[in-house]
Amino acid sequence: MNPETHKRSIDDYRPIVGENVIDQLKRLAKKLNGVRVLHVNSTSKGGGVAEILKWMIPMLRDLEINAEWHVIKGDRSFFNVTKNFHNALQGQECNISQEDKETYIAHNEKNAAEIDFDADHVFIHDPQPASLIEHRVNGTWIWRCHIDISQPCQEIWDFLKEYVNRYDASIFSMPEFAQSLPIPQYLVPPSIDPLSEKNRELTEEEIAKELEELEITHEKPILLQVSRFDRFKDPIGVIKAYKLVKKREDCTLVLAGGEATDDPEGPAVLEEVRKYAAEDPDIHILSLPPVSDRKINALQRTADIIIQKSIKEGFGLTVTEGMWKGKPVIGGEVGGIKMQIQNGTNGYLVNSIEGTAYRIRQLLHNPEMAAKMGAYAREYVRHNFLLTRHIRDHLAIMIATQHPHETYIQV
Ligand code: UDP
């Protein structure tokens, strides 16, 4: 697949992350010149994994690494099954039949016939394509898990583990997500591209145009949650918190989301959210088309407070995006959100609807404190969650798996 046309070069990031960071990346990449890297996932649009691969593939190519991205295909039955797997792995009740497992295996068999696996490093993202390991020809195979599998439903984890155990290594976003496995486990938090359409600086005119198109005005403070319509993102909880705040403060709530092609539950959740919001004219529920990056950017830059009230979360790129825009983010104290928000310093972590409402009110009453938190948040992202750090980790893992017996590799 051809990643989106992407004209940026790694050197464009020098002013953002500094000279040393880029020089080190180039030295690392030199050790891998000419290797072929293949990334495989299950959707080209929507959701965090596609978001990362969209910049990672062109950036690796810019570093003279021969990188490819393949998206597996599936019909509704496959994505219903994999969504059930996903929910069960994130701790929901298991409801998976033998037939589901067969659907999963059969779809991946079919997909395998269309993929050229002849690569030095193959990264398989998440459970959907995990059984492709059956088709390994050569190279090192790495299973990259983006979700929280710290308390999985055992039956489905036992099924998936049979495949995962056969990889050369695994990557998790956080230590808590790692599992007892016989293969090496690396920890690599995700990241964002500060120069992408989703994250680049926008002019005031650009922001105004996007908001006008969305029919959003900034007359009152704006609370924003950007997320797929997924119960783990708790959009109903966000509305409940907004309603508590609204008793005393006038504000607007924007819930912006769209569909990911590998998430069949989206339309039903959107319907629930619409019903729950009922007739409140200050709640804007936006179902955005898949490529709405500039709109999301404009919304995040306009919002006074960004919320990500997830009750389960892999990492939460929307948190990173909000923090990078210098906004105070109120996030559920789960998964990777805990790694990003330092409670009370660069945002707030919350565990309840009441807690969320309390923090919203606190930030609305203290704009100076909110601005300070936002500034800390941006610097935290600069040092930890930009794509340059992420590429460095990937290059280092490829080098390490290529030289498994060396304990010291000079760059
Ligand atoms: N996103 C988007 N359009 C939407 C909803 C989300 O482009 O309608 C993007 C969002 O900006 C973020 C990613 O999708 O970059 C979501 O990643 P996150 O890690 O927050 O959650 P996931 O969807 O992977 O669970």
Side-chain angles (χ1 to χ4, degrees):
M1 126 161 315
N2 276 332
E4 249 182 23
T5 320
H6 190 289
K7 296 275 185 293
R8 291 184 289 286
S9 120
I10 199 75
D11 291 303
D12 297 337
Y13 296 84
R14 287 184 187 273
I16 302 172
V17 295
E19 302 291 331
N20 290 345
V21 171
I22 304 298
D23 291 342
Q24 189 201 31
L25 275 183
K26 291 197 167 185
R27 285 199 302 276
L28 277 170
K30 233 186 193 143
K31 294 207 163 275
L32 292 161
N33 269 179
V35 300
R36 179 162 186 255
V37 181
L38 173 66
H39 284 262
V40 181
N41 81 321
S42 62
T43 179
S44 60
K45 300 184 201 86
V49 182
E51 196 64 28
I52 289 165
L53 291 176
K54 258 191 318 197
W55 59 252
M56 185 178 276
I57 304 303
M59 237 7 109
L60 289 172
R61 289 179 184 172
D62 189 52
L63 286 163
E64 292 176 35
I65 290 167
N66 184 0
E68 295 288 338
W69 175 12
H70 185 95
V71 178
I72 58 165
K73 296 190 200 96
D75 60 15
R76 212 176 161 72
S77 69
F78 176 68
F79 288 122
N80 280 334
V81 168
T82 56
K83 182 68 193 200
N84 276 344
F85 278 20
H86 176 101
N87 289 344
L89 288 165
Q90 293 215 125
Q92 268 188 5
E93 236 174 78
C94 268
N95 188 11
I96 289 145
S97 62
Q98 186 56 30
E99 196 188 333
D100 290 345
K101 292 178 187 169
E102 282 161 16
T103 302
Y104 171 80
I105 293 167
H107 270 77
N108 274 323
E109 285 289 312
K110 221 161 127 193
N111 272 292
E114 294 179 16
I115 308 176
D116 176 6
F117 288 114
D118 182 17
D120 300 286
H121 300 278
V122 179
F123 290 81
I124 303 288
H125 294 259
D126 280 337
Q128 297 92 330
S131 70
L132 290 175
I133 184 76
E134 303 263 22
H135 299 270
R136 164 192 207 138
V137 238
N138 50 19
T140 53
W141 280 57
I142 296 172
W143 186 57
R144 199 323 173 196
C145 179
H146 295 267
I147 60 177
D148 176 353
I149 56 163
S150 51
Q151 290 166 316
C153 151
Q154 203 55 42
E155 186 197 335
I156 188 63
W157 177 234
D158 286 345
F159 170 70
L160 195 69
K161 206 163 62 176
E162 289 301 309
Y163 297 111
V164 173
N165 285 347
R166 291 157 62 185
Y167 282 76
D168 296 295
S170 56
I171 304 179
F172 293 90
S173 297
M174 292 185 69
E176 285 108 302
F177 298 174
Q179 284 285 335
S180 160
L181 290 171
I183 56 174
Q185 300 181 48
Y186 295 102
L187 298 175
V188 179
S191 64
I192 57 165
D193 177 354
L195 296 180
S196 68
E197 203 55 23
K198 174 84 57 72
N199 296 308
R200 71 173 174 89
E201 300 290 330
L202 294 178
T203 63
E204 282 185 14
E205 292 73 34
E206 284 174 318
I207 295 176
K209 181 169 172 287
E210 297 302 330
L211 289 192
E212 198 185 325
E213 282 178 26
L214 293 169
E215 298 178 11
I216 306 270
T217 53
H218 195 187
E219 286 150 8
K220 305 169 187 179
I222 293 180
L223 318 177
L224 168 72
Q225 175 159 299
V226 175
S227 270
R228 288 179 296 107
F229 290 99
D230 178 324
R231 293 188 185 91
F232 285 128
K233 311 285 183 182
D234 200 16
I236 303 274
V238 177
I239 299 178
K240 287 183 177 166
Y242 152 86
K243 285 187 174 171
L244 286 178
V245 173
K246 189 81 170 176
K247 285 184 184 163
R248 286 195 246 155
E249 323 284 338
D250 203 6
C251 57
T252 300
L253 172 65
V254 180
L255 291 175
E259 283 180 42
T261 48
D262 61 350
D263 180 3
E265 285 178 347
V269 177
L270 173 60
E271 200 42 45
E272 276 170 38
V273 171
R274 285 219 166 103
K275 264 202 192 128
Y276 195 77
E279 303 293 297
D280 188 332
D282 281 330
I283 303 182
H284 298 262
I285 296 166
L286 309 176
S287 177
L288 301 173
V291 184
S292 302
D293 289 1
R294 197 185 298 177
K295 287 199 165 43
I296 291 173
N297 191 345
L299 283 169
Q300 288 167 331
R301 287 182 188 279
T302 308
D304 294 273
I305 297 170
I306 290 182
I307 301 168
Q308 188 56 58
K309 206 200 147 309
S310 305
I311 44 181
K312 273 274 177 188
E313 189 59 78
F315 182 69
L317 281 176
T318 51
V319 172
T320 333
E321 290 161 7
M323 291 172 73
W324 179 243
K325 279 140 198 150
K327 302 293 170 169
V329 181
I330 300 174
E333 191 167 6
V334 289
I337 299 178
K338 289 188 289 183
M339 195 194 269
Q340 304 185 64
I341 297 180
Q342 316 279 289
N343 193 26
T345 306
N346 62 9
Y348 283 122
L349 292 170
V350 289
N351 290 288
S352 65
I353 289 161
E354 293 73 19
T356 308
Y358 175 76
R359 293 307 190 191
I360 294 171
R361 277 204 298 267
Q362 200 176 2
L363 288 168
L364 289 177
H365 286 173
N366 294 284
E368 265 178 39
M369 182 187 77
K372 213 180 238 176
M373 275 190 166
Y376 285 143
R378 182 172 165 91
E379 286 317 298
Y380 202 68
V381 171
R382 190 193 306 281
H383 291 290
N384 297 290
F385 304 119
L386 293 186
L387 59 76
T388 38
R389 191 273 309 146
H390 199 163
I391 296 173
R392 185 198 64 202
D393 291 351
H394 268 238
L395 297 178
I397 289 172
M398 287 192 269
I399 293 171
T401 50
Q402 238 169 257
H403 305 274
H405 305 299
E406 286 178 43
T407 47
Y408 176 78
I409 297 164
Q410 187 165 13
V411 288

